[in-house]
Amino acid sequence: MKPTLTAMALALAATGATAQSQDPVTIEFAYPYSHLFDITYERILERFNADHPHITVEFRATYESYEDGTNTILREAVAGELPDVTMQGLNRQAILVERGIAKSLEPFIAGEEDFERDGYHQAMLDLGTFEGEVYGLPFSVSLPVGYYNMETMAQAGYDATNLPTTWDEVIAACEALQEAGVDNPVFWGWNITGNWFLQALMWSQDEPTMVGNDFRIDTPAGLTALETMHGIFRGCEMQNLEWDAALASFSAGDIGMLFWSTSAVGAVERNMGDFTLMTHEFPGLTEDGPMGLPAGGNSAMLVSDSEDPAELEAAWLWLTYITSGEGAADVARTTGYMPPNQAANEIILADFYEENPTKATAVRQIELLREWQAYPGDNGLAATQVIADYLEGIVIGDYDDMEVLQQEMAEEVQDLMPADG
């Protein structure tokens, strides 16, 4: 009879779950977005190797996106080729829990004498908690922000005191930049993973995109979200760029305003041309600003199918190492993500944000944090793509009547949702 995960974890606890075996052990680890996280994990791994020299962490090929990460794990589960630890988008954890691929971390937490749940921001920890049990420890959390090339903005009369605070003001800024000779004044991240910016416009009105199995684009808030996107795309004559091309173009100094995840601040700063970068709060539909914003980012999940207690111990050590203390602090130092661990934010990084103001914007917005919602059922990933296709249709000019688009999108996506009950 095969031992259960709980039994093995309790066995580890009985002998000291954090006690290090001196026998060499290798674990496999997979994560998304090489351009954002390679430098982060390289820095963490160097410290981890010094602290745990008997453990070898092998990095698998990176996932292209959160959707790719989930699809990859689903395939590997069928093939019996799972890594030990995987990083999954905060909105993609549920499907791995529902299918029994992700393992509950409760037995391991119970074996830790000094594990502090309160060390993690509760709203962030809640995102990885299902039916009262923790399955994912948050690693990096982001919120949408505005990026500004201040030399380009100055051409249209903007400085740090008068950056746009509403989407109408963004459109006005686009027009002023175009009059000043700027060909590409803005890129707005409609194509960021998981329909994140659509959800940002919904949460800006304090409205969820999903209620149970009901896709809420057919509401007045849904129409406002679509009309806001249409206004930005047309009013700013926004080019249809792939997300990586948009980031590269902004870093090169070719775009005046970029609305994107704070996650890319580190990558932009490492690659930017000779201009002054400033980040600022995400604009709202009114001067009062957004009422809420979706939490982006990813979580560490144990998906190992190993029965070796030493390998499970090593996987748990790595998982907790990257999500707490100095490991979590490295997220902020190398990217623009916020560490989910309060100790990292409040103690280790006490002076960091004052010295790095471009990375402080998301922290100022943390009270707006809301759930990055998943689409339920087996067709959740398909629904994500259908919505993205409709949004691209607005960008390229296929749709101008947002009420017609609203009805078509609502019907097609709702058909992909599970029937109630």
Side-chain angles (χ1 to χ4, degrees), residues 243-261:
W243 65 267
D244 50 353
L247 286 175
S249 186
F250 178 81
S251 297
D254 297 331
I255 297 176
M257 300 180 288
L258 172 73
F259 296 97
W260 197 256
S261 164

Side-chain angles (χ1 to χ4, degrees), residues 352-372:
F352 176 80
Y353 289 114
E354 184 176 347
E355 298 168 358
N356 295 271
T358 57
K359 296 178 180 178
T361 300
V363 178
R364 294 197 300 269
Q365 298 181 137
I366 199 167
E367 296 302 321
L368 300 176
L369 190 149
R370 301 290 189 274
E371 180 186 1
W372 183 13

Side-chain angles (χ1 to χ4, degrees), residues 141-144 195-201 203-204 282 292-297 368-373:
V141 178
S142 65
L143 287 168
N195 313 139
W196 198 48
F197 266 31
L198 171 63
Q199 295 197 23
L201 290 180
W203 279 126
S204 289
F282 199 64
L293 291 170
L368 300 176
L369 190 149
R370 301 290 189 274
E371 180 186 1
W372 183 13
Q373 294 184 296

